[in-house]
């Protein structure tokens, strides 16, 4: 892969991405099948009947966040998304600090997902063929495929993500249809599970860690604003569609999983020996062995799709930071043929390769260590960015609402910021539920976030002293000014 650029092709491919493409990027990044089959049983084990409402309430909070986030998207078109918003609303030093946190968080999530893809594929391929191929070989094969897709036109990635997403959602709908055809589980369809009274039970705080993490990646609609058609319309529309779909789909699916076993038994089963496989077991019972087998295969494609989506997002952060001088400017190189941020794609691929190599060399468990630890850091970092972005929306519109209603640019972002702050506190208090690690390890996983934020602030101030003009351009470069 070469990285030539020309004056005619030094920006990303504008107007290439539509609303449907954005929705595919966002929902695929959330990996609904992986979340429901791999994580929802843990949430049910923690909070029991409160789990469905946990996903619904998390989705509602993020819709409130999206109200202000998408209002600001009309005025900010930048592949750096979060840091550009924070820089415009809270000042350039805060934006630069957020830039480094965002880059770290997206990389952490992407490399963890890549390793998880290899881990899922090793197990799935062994189940189907009886042949065991080491997880790291699958991870490397996935990395090559993702690197190639990242180099090609962004619309091709959207098509791949679209196919994977449709299949993984369909197989869960097949399970749900089978359960409905049987009239529900042992207790029928128990609407009492959706009662708010369950939210007062123990384990609810830990459950929210998993529920909020299930939505991470939805903000990526703004990352593609420079490549979107009519971004002032497509970005808000895609954001609302994606968050609303995920909230309703997660809530309904978790409710159906609980009904499959009975609301009085589901939590005990989730915490039992076969809890991790409860979605596969229920699918086989109510939809047939073929559906369960399909589930085992499609969880692999789900992990691949999520890795590709986060890979694309991380590469665009590299591109945006290189363009503004927060990282080496060569990272802003764009292929004249595909208009992809080719140097950023290669850089991201090298980082992922290094993480795979370190995991293999150290003998660390790919799932319980590399995947869970990296995603623990990444999810917390994204939540921190969401809270700062919500506050930035208020800051951006504080002096002039620019024709926007007060509920959207004052009430909504401040409410979202407060809600996210509470959830961040819950995540920090219950991070061990995600990582399974000691307090010392968890502290080490959180430590990069404030350190990187401080480094970004220091970098911005250094730029202000050395090159005031470059400082004035920080977080203000967008598709129209390239």
């Amino acid at each position: 892969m070469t990285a030539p650029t020309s004056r005619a092709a030094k920006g990303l491919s504008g107007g290439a991405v539509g609303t449907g493409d954005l929705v595919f990027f966002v929902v695929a990044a959330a990996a609904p099948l992986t979340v429901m089959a791999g994580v929802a049983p843990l949430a049910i084990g923690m909070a029991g009947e409160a789990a469905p409402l946990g996903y619904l309430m998390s989705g509602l909070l993020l819709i409130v966040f999206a109200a202000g986030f998408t209002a600001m998207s009309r005025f900010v078109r930048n592949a750096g998304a979060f840091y550009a918003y924070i820089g415009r609303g809270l000042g350039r030093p805060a934006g630069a600090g957020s830039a480094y946190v965002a880059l770290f968080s997206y990389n952490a999530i992407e490399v963890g997902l890549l390793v998880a893809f290899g881990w899922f594929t090793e197990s799935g391929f062994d189940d189907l063929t009886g042949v065991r191929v080491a997880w790291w070989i699958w991870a490397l094969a996935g990395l090559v495929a993702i690197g190639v897709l990242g180099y090609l036109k962004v619309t091709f990635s959207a098509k791949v993500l679209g196919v994977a997403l449709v299949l993984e959602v369909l197989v869960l709908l097949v399970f749900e249809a089978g359960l409905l055809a049987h009239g529900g589980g042992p207790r029928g369809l128990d609407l009492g599970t959706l009662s708010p009274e369950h939210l007062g039970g123990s384990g609810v705080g830990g459950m929210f860690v998993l529920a909020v993490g299930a939505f991470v990646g939805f903000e990526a609609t703004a990352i593609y604003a420079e490549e979107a058609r009519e971004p002032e319309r497509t970005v808000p529309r895609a954001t609302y569609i994606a968050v609303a779909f995920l909230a309703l789909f997660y809530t309904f699916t978790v409710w159906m999983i609980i009904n499959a076993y009975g609301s009085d038994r589901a939590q005990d089963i989730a915490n039992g020996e076969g809890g991790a496989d409860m979605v596969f077991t229920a699918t086989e019972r109510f939809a047939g062995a073929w559906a369960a087998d399909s589930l085992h295969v499609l969880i692999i494609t789900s992990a691949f799709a999520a890795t590709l989506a986060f890979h694309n997002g991380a590469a665009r952060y590299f591109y945006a930071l290189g363009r503004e001088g927060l990282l080496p400017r060569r990272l802003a190189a764009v292929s004249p043929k595909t208009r992809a941020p080719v140097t950023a794609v290669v850089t991201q691929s090298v980082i992922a390769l290094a993480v795979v190599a370190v995991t293999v060399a150290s003998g660390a468990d790919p799932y319980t260590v590399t995947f869970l630890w990296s995603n623990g850091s990444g999810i917390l970092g994204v939540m921190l960015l969401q809270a700062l972005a919500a506050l930035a929306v208020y800051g951006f519109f504080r002096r002039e609402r620019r024709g926007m209603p007060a509920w959207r640019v004052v009430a909504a972002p401040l409410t979202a910021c407060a809600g996210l702050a509470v959830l961040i506190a819950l995540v920090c208090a219950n991070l061990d539920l995600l990582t399974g690690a000691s307090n010392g390890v968890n502290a080490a996983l959180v430590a990069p976030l404030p350190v990187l934020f401080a480094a970004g602030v220091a970098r911005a101030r250094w730029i202000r002293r050395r090159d005031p003009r470059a400082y004035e351009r920080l977080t203000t470069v967008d598709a129209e000014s390239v």
Side-chain angles (χ1 to χ4, degrees):
M1 298 180 187
T2 58
T5 59
S6 67
R7 192 168 185 78
K10 62 180 181 180
L12 298 174
S13 182
V17 179
T19 300
D21 298 327
L22 287 174
V23 172
F24 288 146
F25 276 121
V26 170
V27 181
L33 178 56
T34 301
V35 168
M36 290 294 94
V39 179
L42 182 57
I44 294 170
M46 292 177 189
E49 295 177 84
L53 279 184
Y55 285 92
L56 181 61
M57 292 182 65
S58 298
L60 291 175
L61 175 62
L62 293 176
I63 287 175
V64 173
F65 167 80
F69 188 66
T70 56
M72 197 166 172
S73 71
R74 294 171 179 262
F75 306 96
V76 180
R77 292 174 58 194
N78 189 301
F82 273 144
Y83 92 84
Y85 285 53
I86 294 167
R88 298 284 185 94
L90 300 180
R92 292 177 177 85
S98 300
Y100 288 173
V101 172
L103 187 64
F104 169 80
S105 299
Y106 271 77
N107 272 275
I109 294 172
E110 190 270 342
V111 297
L113 286 169
L114 176 66
V115 171
F117 161 75
W119 188 81
F120 284 133
T121 308
E122 176 185 354
S123 176
F125 190 76
D126 183 32
D127 289 340
L128 292 172
T129 67
V131 178
R132 181 168 291 273
V133 178
W135 69 267
W136 60 268
I137 295 177
W138 291 114
L140 293 179
L143 179 59
V144 171
I146 288 167
V148 171
L149 289 169
Y151 175 72
L152 297 175
K153 290 184 178 181
V154 68
T155 50
F156 191 78
S157 288
K159 290 181 174 61
V160 173
L161 292 173
V163 172
L165 174 62
V166 168
L167 291 175
E168 62 181 284
V169 169
L170 278 177
V171 73
L172 286 172
L173 290 176
V174 167
F175 150 65
E176 291 159 3
L179 181 59
L180 290 172
H182 283 77
R187 302 183 63 178
L189 296 176
D190 186 1
L191 293 174
T193 302
L194 302 176
S195 172
E197 66 178 326
H198 299 304
L199 292 172
S202 62
V204 170
M207 176 269 295
F208 272 111
V209 177
L210 304 175
V212 174
F215 291 86
V216 167
F218 84 91
E219 72 288 336
T221 51
I223 293 176
Y224 297 95
E226 295 185 32
E227 299 161 89
R229 293 190 294 272
E230 300 182 87
E232 68 282 354
R233 297 178 60 187
T234 55
V235 170
R237 186 182 303 162
T239 304
Y240 283 123
I241 291 173
V243 178
F245 169 80
L246 287 172
L248 294 174
F249 186 73
Y250 287 155
T251 302
F252 183 70
T253 302
V254 174
W255 179 63
M256 294 295 280
I257 295 169
I258 290 175
N259 274 284
Y261 292 92
S263 56
D264 58 334
R265 299 175 57 239
Q267 185 171 14
D268 290 338
I269 292 172
N271 288 323
E273 186 175 345
D277 293 323
M278 64 189 303
V279 177
F280 299 96
T281 303
T283 299
E284 182 172 2
R285 177 184 173 190
F286 292 102
W290 70 270
D293 289 340
S294 299
L295 205 64
H296 281 286
V297 173
L298 291 174
I299 198 171
I300 296 171
T301 63
S302 175
F304 178 86
T307 308
L308 173 59
F310 274 100
H311 179 93
N312 284 340
R316 277 152 182 79
Y317 267 108
F318 271 122
Y319 165 82
L321 270 60
R323 184 174 62 185
E324 297 197 18
L326 291 170
L327 289 176
R329 293 192 181 276
R330 68 183 63 183
L331 287 167
V334 175
S335 165
K337 182 177 180 181
T338 66
R339 303 290 292 276
V342 61
T343 306
V345 168
V346 172
T347 301
Q348 173 64 25
S349 299
V350 170
I351 291 173
L353 176 63
V355 171
V356 171
V358 169
T359 303
V360 174
S362 65
D365 186 90
Y367 188 86
T368 60
V369 175
T370 304
F371 171 63
L372 293 180
W373 290 13
S374 65
N375 275 256
S377 293
I379 289 172
L380 183 58
V382 171
M383 291 177 67
L384 176 63
L385 293 169
Q386 289 172 344
L388 289 173
L391 190 60
V393 172
Y394 169 74
F396 184 77
F397 290 101
R398 182 171 60 87
R399 294 182 180 177
E400 181 183 356
R401 295 213 303 264
R402 303 173 188 242
M404 295 290 177
W407 70 265
R408 188 172 180 184
V409 297
V410 178
L414 290 180
T415 300
C417 182
L420 285 163
V422 171
L423 291 179
I424 288 169
L426 283 174
V427 170
C428 291
N430 296 277
L431 191 60
D432 59 304
L433 297 175
L434 278 179
T435 64
S438 65
N439 290 337
V441 170
N442 289 329
L445 294 175
V446 173
L449 302 178
V451 170
L452 288 169
F453 188 88
V457 170
R459 174 67 175 172
R461 290 175 176 170
W462 182 85
I463 292 173
R464 181 171 57 187
R465 291 195 302 270
R466 294 291 299 269
D467 190 347
R469 278 189 171 184
Y471 178 78
E472 290 300 316
R473 284 172 58 81
L474 286 180
T475 74
T476 63
V477 178
D478 57 30
E480 295 176 354
S481 61
V482 173

Coordinates of all heavy atoms in Angstrom, one line a residue, residues 3-72:
A3 N 1.0 5.6 -0.1 CA 0.2 6.7 0.5 C 0.4 8.0 -0.2 O 0.7 9.0 0.4 CB 0.5 6.8 2.0
P4 N 0.4 8.0 -1.5 CA 0.6 9.3 -2.2 C -0.7 10.2 -2.0 O -1.8 9.7 -1.9 CB 0.7 8.9 -3.6 CG 0.0 7.6 -3.8 CD 0.1 6.9 -2.5
T5 N -0.4 11.4 -2.0 CA -1.6 12.4 -2.0 C -1.3 13.4 -3.1 O -0.2 13.7 -3.6 CB -1.7 13.1 -0.7 OG1 -0.5 13.8 -0.4 CG2 -1.9 12.1 0.5
S6 N -2.4 14.1 -3.5 CA -2.3 15.1 -4.4 C -3.2 16.2 -4.0 O -4.1 16.1 -3.1 CB -2.7 14.7 -5.8 OG -4.1 14.3 -5.8
R7 N -3.1 17.4 -4.5 CA -3.9 18.5 -4.2 C -5.4 18.2 -4.5 O -6.3 18.6 -3.8 CB -3.5 19.8 -4.9 CG -4.2 21.0 -4.3 CD -3.5 22.3 -4.9 NE -4.1 23.4 -4.3 CZ -3.8 23.9 -3.1 NH1 -3.0 23.3 -2.3 NH2 -4.4 25.0 -2.6
A8 N -5.6 17.4 -5.5 CA -7.0 17.1 -5.9 C -7.6 16.0 -5.0 O -8.8 15.8 -5.0 CB -7.0 16.6 -7.3
A9 N -6.7 15.3 -4.3 CA -7.3 14.2 -3.5 C -6.6 14.2 -2.1 O -6.1 13.2 -1.7 CB -7.1 12.9 -4.2
K10 N -6.6 15.3 -1.4 CA -6.0 15.3 -0.1 C -7.0 15.2 1.0 O -6.6 15.2 2.2 CB -5.2 16.6 0.1 CG -5.9 17.9 0.0 CD -5.0 19.1 0.2 CE -5.7 20.4 0.1 NZ -4.8 21.5 0.3
G11 N -8.2 15.2 0.7 CA -9.3 15.0 1.7 C -10.0 13.7 1.6 O -9.8 12.9 0.6
L12 N -10.8 13.4 2.6 CA -11.6 12.1 2.6 C -12.6 12.2 1.5 O -12.9 13.3 0.9 CB -12.2 11.9 3.9 CG -11.3 11.7 5.1 CD1 -12.0 11.6 6.4 CD2 -10.4 10.4 4.9
S13 N -13.2 11.1 1.2 CA -14.2 11.0 0.1 C -15.5 11.6 0.5 O -16.4 11.0 1.0 CB -14.4 9.5 -0.3 OG -15.3 9.4 -1.4
G14 N -15.7 12.9 0.2 CA -16.9 13.6 0.5 C -18.1 13.1 -0.2 O -18.0 12.8 -1.4
G15 N -19.3 13.1 0.5 CA -20.5 12.7 -0.2 C -20.7 11.2 -0.5 O -21.6 10.8 -1.2
A16 N -19.8 10.4 0.1 CA -19.8 8.9 -0.3 C -20.7 8.1 0.6 O -21.2 7.0 0.3 CB -18.4 8.4 -0.2
V17 N -21.0 8.7 1.8 CA -21.8 7.9 2.8 C -23.2 8.4 3.1 O -23.3 9.6 3.3 CB -21.0 7.9 4.2 CG1 -21.7 7.1 5.2 CG2 -19.6 7.3 4.0
G18 N -24.1 7.5 3.0 CA -25.5 7.9 3.2 C -26.0 7.5 4.6 O -25.3 6.9 5.4
T19 N -27.3 7.8 4.9 CA -27.8 7.5 6.2 C -27.7 6.0 6.5 O -27.3 5.6 7.6 CB -29.3 7.9 6.3 OG1 -29.4 9.3 6.0 CG2 -29.9 7.6 7.6
G20 N -28.1 5.2 5.5 CA -28.0 3.7 5.8 C -26.6 3.2 6.1 O -26.4 2.4 6.9
D21 N -25.6 3.8 5.3 CA -24.2 3.4 5.6 C -23.8 3.8 7.0 O -23.2 3.0 7.7 CB -23.3 4.1 4.6 CG -23.6 3.8 3.2 OD1 -24.0 2.6 2.9 OD2 -23.4 4.6 2.3
L22 N -24.2 5.0 7.5 CA -23.9 5.4 8.8 C -24.5 4.5 9.9 O -23.9 4.1 10.9 CB -24.3 6.9 9.0 CG -23.5 8.0 8.3 CD1 -24.2 9.3 8.5 CD2 -22.1 8.0 8.9
V23 N -25.8 4.1 9.6 CA -26.4 3.2 10.6 C -25.7 1.9 10.6 O -25.5 1.3 11.7 CB -27.9 3.0 10.2 CG1 -28.5 1.9 11.0 CG2 -28.7 4.3 10.3
F24 N -25.3 1.4 9.5 CA -24.5 0.1 9.5 C -23.2 0.2 10.3 O -22.9 -0.7 11.0 CB -24.3 -0.4 8.1 CG -25.5 -0.8 7.3 CD1 -25.6 -0.6 6.0 CD2 -26.5 -1.5 8.0 CE1 -26.7 -1.1 5.3 CE2 -27.6 -1.9 7.3 CZ -27.7 -1.7 6.0
F25 N -22.5 1.3 10.1 CA -21.2 1.5 10.8 C -21.5 1.5 12.3 O -20.8 0.9 13.1 CB -20.6 2.8 10.4 CG -19.8 2.8 9.1 CD1 -20.1 3.6 8.0 CD2 -18.7 1.9 9.0 CE1 -19.3 3.5 6.9 CE2 -17.9 1.9 7.9 CZ -18.2 2.7 6.8
V26 N -22.5 2.2 12.7 CA -22.7 2.4 14.2 C -23.3 1.1 14.8 O -22.8 0.7 15.8 CB -23.7 3.6 14.4 CG1 -24.2 3.6 15.8 CG2 -23.1 4.9 14.0
V27 N -24.3 0.5 14.2 CA -24.9 -0.7 14.8 C -23.9 -1.9 14.8 O -23.9 -2.7 15.7 CB -26.3 -1.0 14.2 CG1 -26.9 -2.2 14.8 CG2 -27.2 0.2 14.3
A28 N -23.2 -2.0 13.7 CA -22.2 -3.0 13.6 C -21.1 -2.9 14.6 O -20.6 -3.9 15.2 CB -21.6 -3.1 12.2
A29 N -20.7 -1.6 14.9 CA -19.7 -1.4 15.9 C -20.2 -1.8 17.3 O -19.4 -2.3 18.1 CB -19.3 0.1 16.0
A30 N -21.5 -1.7 17.5 CA -22.1 -2.1 18.8 C -22.1 -3.6 18.9 O -22.2 -4.2 20.0 CB -23.5 -1.6 19.0
A31 N -22.0 -4.4 17.8 CA -22.0 -5.8 17.7 C -23.2 -6.4 18.5 O -23.0 -7.1 19.6 CB -20.7 -6.4 18.3
P32 N -24.4 -6.2 18.1 CA -25.6 -6.7 18.9 C -25.6 -8.2 19.2 O -26.0 -8.5 20.3 CB -26.8 -6.3 18.0 CG -26.2 -6.0 16.6 CD -24.8 -5.5 16.8
L33 N -25.2 -9.0 18.3 CA -25.2 -10.4 18.6 C -24.1 -10.8 19.6 O -24.4 -11.6 20.6 CB -24.9 -11.3 17.3 CG -24.8 -12.8 17.5 CD1 -26.1 -13.3 18.1 CD2 -24.6 -13.5 16.1
T34 N -23.0 -10.2 19.5 CA -21.9 -10.4 20.6 C -22.4 -9.9 21.9 O -22.2 -10.6 22.9 CB -20.6 -9.7 20.2 OG1 -20.2 -10.2 18.9 CG2 -19.5 -9.9 21.2
V35 N -23.1 -8.8 21.9 CA -23.6 -8.2 23.2 C -24.7 -9.1 23.8 O -24.6 -9.4 25.0 CB -24.1 -6.8 22.9 CG1 -25.0 -6.3 24.1 CG2 -23.0 -5.8 22.7
M36 N -25.6 -9.6 22.9 CA -26.7 -10.3 23.5 C -26.3 -11.8 23.8 O -26.7 -12.3 24.9 CB -27.8 -10.4 22.4 CG -28.6 -9.1 22.2 SD -29.5 -8.5 23.7 CE -28.3 -7.4 24.5
A37 N -25.5 -12.4 23.0 CA -25.1 -13.8 23.3 C -23.9 -13.9 24.3 O -23.9 -14.8 25.0 CB -24.8 -14.5 22.0
G38 N -23.1 -12.9 24.2 CA -21.9 -13.0 25.0 C -21.9 -12.2 26.3 O -21.1 -12.5 27.3
V39 N -22.7 -11.1 26.4 CA -22.6 -10.2 27.5 C -23.9 -10.2 28.3 O -24.0 -10.1 29.5 CB -22.2 -8.8 27.1 CG1 -22.2 -7.8 28.3 CG2 -20.9 -8.8 26.4
A40 N -25.1 -10.2 27.6 CA -26.4 -10.1 28.3 C -26.6 -11.2 29.4 O -27.1 -10.8 30.4 CB -27.5 -10.3 27.2
P41 N -26.1 -12.4 29.2 CA -26.2 -13.4 30.4 C -25.6 -12.9 31.6 O -26.1 -13.1 32.7 CB -25.6 -14.7 29.8 CG -25.8 -14.6 28.3 CD -25.6 -13.1 28.0
L42 N -24.4 -12.2 31.5 CA -23.7 -11.7 32.6 C -24.6 -10.6 33.3 O -24.7 -10.5 34.5 CB -22.4 -11.1 32.2 CG -21.5 -10.6 33.3 CD1 -21.2 -11.6 34.4 CD2 -20.2 -10.1 32.8
A43 N -25.2 -9.7 32.4 CA -26.1 -8.6 33.0 C -27.3 -9.2 33.7 O -27.7 -8.7 34.7 CB -26.5 -7.7 31.8
I44 N -27.8 -10.3 33.1 CA -29.0 -11.0 33.8 C -28.5 -11.6 35.1 O -29.3 -11.6 36.1 CB -29.6 -12.0 32.8 CG1 -30.2 -11.4 31.6 CG2 -30.6 -12.9 33.6 CD1 -30.6 -12.3 30.5
G45 N -27.3 -12.2 35.1 CA -26.8 -12.8 36.3 C -26.6 -11.7 37.4 O -26.8 -12.0 38.6
M46 N -26.3 -10.5 37.1 CA -26.1 -9.4 38.1 C -27.4 -8.9 38.6 O -27.6 -8.7 39.8 CB -25.3 -8.3 37.4 CG -23.9 -8.6 37.1 SD -23.1 -7.2 36.3 CE -21.5 -7.9 35.8
A47 N -28.3 -8.6 37.6 CA -29.5 -7.8 38.0 C -30.8 -8.5 37.8 O -31.9 -8.0 38.1 CB -29.5 -6.5 37.2
G48 N -30.8 -9.7 37.3 CA -32.0 -10.5 37.1 C -33.0 -9.7 36.2 O -32.7 -9.3 35.1
E49 N -34.3 -9.6 36.8 CA -35.3 -9.0 36.0 C -35.1 -7.5 35.7 O -35.9 -6.9 34.9 CB -36.7 -9.2 36.8 CG -37.1 -10.6 36.9 CD -38.3 -10.8 37.7 OE1 -39.4 -10.6 37.2 OE2 -38.2 -11.0 39.0
A50 N -34.2 -6.9 36.3 CA -33.9 -5.5 36.0 C -33.1 -5.2 34.7 O -33.1 -4.1 34.2 CB -33.2 -4.8 37.2
A51 N -32.6 -6.3 34.2 CA -31.7 -6.2 33.0 C -32.4 -5.5 31.8 O -31.8 -4.6 31.2 CB -31.1 -7.5 32.7
P52 N -33.6 -5.9 31.4 CA -34.2 -5.3 30.2 C -34.3 -3.8 30.4 O -34.0 -3.0 29.5 CB -35.5 -6.0 30.1 CG -35.4 -7.3 30.8 CD -34.4 -7.0 31.9
L53 N -34.8 -3.3 31.6 CA -34.9 -1.9 31.8 C -33.6 -1.2 31.8 O -33.4 0.0 31.5 CB -35.7 -1.6 33.1 CG -37.2 -1.7 33.0 CD1 -37.9 -1.3 34.3 CD2 -37.8 -0.8 31.9
G54 N -32.5 -1.9 32.3 CA -31.2 -1.3 32.3 C -30.7 -0.9 30.9 O -30.2 0.2 30.7
Y55 N -31.0 -1.8 29.9 CA -30.6 -1.5 28.5 C -31.5 -0.3 28.0 O -31.1 0.5 27.3 CB -30.8 -2.7 27.6 CG -29.6 -3.7 27.8 CD1 -29.7 -4.7 28.7 CD2 -28.5 -3.6 27.1 CE1 -28.7 -5.6 28.9 CE2 -27.4 -4.4 27.2 CZ -27.5 -5.5 28.2 OH -26.5 -6.3 28.3
L56 N -32.8 -0.4 28.4 CA -33.7 0.7 27.9 C -33.3 2.0 28.4 O -33.3 3.0 27.7 CB -35.2 0.3 28.3 CG -36.2 1.3 27.8 CD1 -36.3 1.4 26.3 CD2 -37.6 0.9 28.3
M57 N -33.1 2.1 29.7 CA -32.7 3.4 30.3 C -31.4 3.9 29.8 O -31.2 5.1 29.6 CB -32.7 3.2 31.9 CG -34.0 3.0 32.5 SD -33.9 2.8 34.3 CE -33.4 4.5 34.7
S58 N -30.4 3.0 29.6 CA -29.2 3.5 29.0 C -29.4 4.1 27.6 O -28.8 5.1 27.2 CB -28.2 2.3 28.9 OG -27.9 1.8 30.2
G59 N -30.3 3.4 26.8 CA -30.6 3.9 25.5 C -31.3 5.3 25.5 O -31.0 6.2 24.8
L60 N -32.2 5.4 26.5 CA -32.9 6.7 26.6 C -32.0 7.8 27.0 O -32.1 9.0 26.5 CB -34.0 6.6 27.7 CG -35.2 5.7 27.3 CD1 -36.2 5.5 28.4 CD2 -35.9 6.2 26.0
L61 N -31.0 7.5 27.9 CA -30.0 8.6 28.3 C -29.2 9.0 27.1 O -28.9 10.2 26.9 CB -29.1 8.0 29.4 CG -28.0 9.0 29.8 CD1 -28.5 10.3 30.3 CD2 -27.1 8.3 30.8
L62 N -28.8 8.0 26.2 CA -28.0 8.4 25.1 C -28.8 9.0 24.0 O -28.2 9.8 23.2 CB -27.3 7.1 24.6 CG -26.3 6.5 25.5 CD1 -25.7 5.2 25.0 CD2 -25.2 7.5 25.8
I63 N -30.1 8.8 23.9 CA -30.9 9.6 23.0 C -31.0 11.1 23.4 O -30.9 12.0 22.6 CB -32.3 9.0 22.9 CG1 -32.3 7.7 22.1 CG2 -33.3 10.0 22.3 CD1 -33.6 6.9 22.1
V64 N -31.1 11.3 24.8 CA -31.0 12.6 25.3 C -29.7 13.3 24.9 O -29.6 14.4 24.5 CB -31.2 12.6 26.8 CG1 -31.0 14.0 27.4 CG2 -32.6 12.2 27.2
F65 N -28.6 12.5 25.1 CA -27.3 13.0 24.7 C -27.2 13.3 23.2 O -26.7 14.4 22.8 CB -26.2 11.9 25.0 CG -24.9 12.2 24.4 CD1 -24.0 13.1 24.9 CD2 -24.5 11.5 23.2 CE1 -22.7 13.3 24.3 CE2 -23.3 11.8 22.6 CZ -22.4 12.7 23.2
A66 N -27.8 12.5 22.4 CA -27.8 12.6 20.9 C -28.5 13.9 20.5 O -28.2 14.5 19.5 CB -28.4 11.4 20.3
A67 N -29.5 14.4 21.3 CA -30.3 15.6 20.9 C -29.3 16.8 20.8 O -29.3 17.5 19.8 CB -31.4 15.9 22.0
G68 N -28.5 16.9 21.8 CA -27.5 18.0 21.7 C -26.3 17.7 20.8 O -25.9 18.6 20.0
F69 N -25.9 16.5 20.8 CA -24.7 16.1 20.0 C -25.0 16.3 18.5 O -24.2 16.8 17.7 CB -24.5 14.6 20.2 CG -23.2 14.0 19.6 CD1 -22.0 14.5 20.0 CD2 -23.3 13.1 18.6 CE1 -20.8 13.9 19.4 CE2 -22.2 12.5 18.0 CZ -20.9 13.0 18.4
T70 N -26.2 15.9 18.1 CA -26.6 16.1 16.6 C -26.9 17.6 16.3 O -26.8 18.0 15.2 CB -27.8 15.2 16.3 OG1 -28.9 15.5 17.1 CG2 -27.4 13.8 16.4
A71 N -27.4 18.4 17.3 CA -27.5 19.8 17.1 C -26.2 20.4 16.7 O -26.1 21.3 15.8 CB -28.2 20.4 18.3
M72 N -25.2 20.0 17.4 CA -23.8 20.6 17.1 C -23.3 20.1 15.8 O -22.4 20.7 15.2 CB -22.9 20.3 18.3 CG -21.7 21.1 18.4 SD -20.8 21.0 20.0 CE -19.3 21.9 19.6

